[in-house]
């Protein structure tokens, strides 16, 4: 039996979709229970270098984002499908140019007539470090801001734990549960992501980028960068720095996994 939506209700849905398309800084989407995209607004499409809804239909985050980000998004979807709430969650969201931005994300279940969760709907809004600092109710969000501000320094887990007002062991458990990686591994990934952005968006020397992102020198950056991405910083810049035309994001940070 096919469910027919009354024309007035259908018109309301169309109006709501059009409304979401007018929000430049808010990405919105709907997925099914297998994490496949059923709908996304214009800001979402542009974020991933797309221009038509058909380009994203049926795809998952594994198709759009680096492996560690896709895993984080999948964790949130599974939590919502299991009945948990994801509201105001701080997370890193990638872009078509392989840079990334910190966002606050909220996800809700999509339920069928019997009340069973059959998918998820979500919105995410880009924030800057100052806004993250203002959200003192999200203790781990303050840690992400700390990592971002002091990326060029060595920050111990004990200091992060004190900043979050937690014991070191409780902090490490909470951080790994929320972000899918231990704090120091996450910081390494953040440094690589930031280096990616600076390689694409600036003409700074690779040596300067290495120091800005917390690496001992250019050789240290090159070793870590190749280990994560499978290419050198120089090759990465040659490939993506001139990418003026938007293009769908590729899982750059999982490239090394594909080569194994």
């Amino acid at each position: 039996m096919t469910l027919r939506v009354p024309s007035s209700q259908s018109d309301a849905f169309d109006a709501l979709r059009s409304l979401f398309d007018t929000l430049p800084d808010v990405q919105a989407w709907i997925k099914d229970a297998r994490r496949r995209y059923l709908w996304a607004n214009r800001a979402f499409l542009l974020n991933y270098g797309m221009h038509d809804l058909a380009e994203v239909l049926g795809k998952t985050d594994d198709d759009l984002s680096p492996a560690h980000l896709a895993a984080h998004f999948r964790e949130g979807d599974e939590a919502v499908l299991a009945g948990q709430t994801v509201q105001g969650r701080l997370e890193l969201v990638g872009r078509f140019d392989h840079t990334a931005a910190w966002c606050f994300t909220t996800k809700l279940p999509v339920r069928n007539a019997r009340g069973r969760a059959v998918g998820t709907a979500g919105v995410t809004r880009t924030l800057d470090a100052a806004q993250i600092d203002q959200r003192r109710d999200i203790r781990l969000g303050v840690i992400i801001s700390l990592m971002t501000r002091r990326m060029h320094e060595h920050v111990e887990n004990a200091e992060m734990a004190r900043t979050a007002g937690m014991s070191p062991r409780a902090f490490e458990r909470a951080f790994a549960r929320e972000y899918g990686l231990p704090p120091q591994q996450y910081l390494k990934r953040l440094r690589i992501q930031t280096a990616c952005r600076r390689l694409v968006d600036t003409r700074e020397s690779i040596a300067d980028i290495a120091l800005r992102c917390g690496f001992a020198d250019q050789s240290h950056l090159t070793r870590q960068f190749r280990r994560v991405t499978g290419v050198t910083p120089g090759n990465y810049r040659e490939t993506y720095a001139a990418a003026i035309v938007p293009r769908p994001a590729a899982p750059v940070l999982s490239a090394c996994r594909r080569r194994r």
Side-chain angles (χ1 to χ4, degrees), residues 8 37 41 63 67 71 107 117 143 193-194 203 206 218-219 246:
S8 60
Y37 283 98
N41 72 339
D63 301 310
K107 296 181 179 180
I143 301 305
Q193 283 279 9
T194 303
R203 299 311 302 169
I206 295 176
Q218 181 173 336
S219 296

Side-chain angles (χ1 to χ4, degrees), residues 35-147:
R35 301 174 44 247
R36 297 174 299 189
Y37 283 98
L38 303 177
W39 171 81
N41 72 339
R42 179 171 175 78
F44 181 100
L45 297 177
L46 293 178
N47 182 76
Y48 290 103
M50 302 177 185
H51 300 280
D52 190 279
L53 182 60
E55 297 178 74
V56 76
L57 296 181
K59 291 186 177 181
T60 70
D61 292 308
D62 296 311
D63 301 310
L64 303 179
S65 299
H68 70 292
L69 298 185
H72 183 68
F73 301 153
R74 179 170 57 251
E75 178 190 349
D77 291 341
E78 291 173 351
V80 170
L81 291 170
Q84 300 177 32
T85 299
V86 173
Q87 185 169 3
R89 183 182 191 181
L90 185 67
E91 58 186 16
L92 194 62
V93 176
R95 284 172 34 86
F96 71 88
D97 58 4
H98 304 279
T99 63
W102 294 109
C103 301
F104 275 132
T105 299
T106 295
K107 296 181 179 180
L108 299 173
V110 176
R111 302 186 183 278
N112 62 14
R114 297 182 179 180
R116 178 172 171 244
V118 294
T120 61
V123 294
T124 194
R125 179 170 59 90
T126 303
L127 300 179
D128 57 34
Q131 290 173 303
I132 294 171
D133 275 338
Q134 293 170 8
R135 289 292 298 266
R136 295 294 176 179
D137 56 316
I138 302 180
R139 291 184 291 178
L140 295 183
V142 175
I143 301 305
I144 300 301
S145 181
L146 173 67
M147 289 181 176

Side-chain angles (χ1 to χ4, degrees), residues 22 37 64-65 69 81 117 137 175 178 181 184-185 236:
T22 67
Y37 283 98
L64 303 179
S65 299
L69 298 185
L81 291 170
D137 56 316
F175 193 97
E178 182 68 16
L181 288 171
Q184 293 301 325
Q185 289 187 31
Y236 186 91

Side-chain angles (χ1 to χ4, degrees), residues 160-256:
M160 297 185 206
R162 287 195 299 272
T163 301
M166 306 168 72
S167 71
R169 186 177 296 273
F171 163 70
E172 290 168 8
R173 286 199 303 264
F175 193 97
R177 183 172 59 250
E178 182 68 16
Y179 294 106
L181 288 171
Q184 293 301 325
Q185 289 187 31
Y186 193 94
L187 180 55
K188 288 180 181 178
R189 292 289 176 136
L190 176 58
R191 285 171 170 154
I192 294 294
Q193 283 279 9
T194 303
C196 287
R197 179 179 61 79
R198 301 197 76 85
L199 288 166
V200 171
D201 290 346
T202 77
R203 299 311 302 169
E204 291 177 297
S205 70
I206 295 176
D208 286 343
I209 291 175
L211 296 178
R212 282 180 178 272
C213 295
F215 297 94
D217 51 32
Q218 181 173 336
S219 296
H220 185 205
L221 168 62
T222 298
R223 289 195 304 272
Q224 295 295 326
F225 198 94
R226 190 199 295 271
R227 185 175 301 165
V228 173
T229 68
V231 298
T232 67
N235 289 338
Y236 186 91
R237 169 171 271 172
E238 289 177 5
T239 302
Y240 298 110
I244 300 174
V245 179
R247 51 191 288 181
V252 173
L253 296 190
S254 62
C256 56

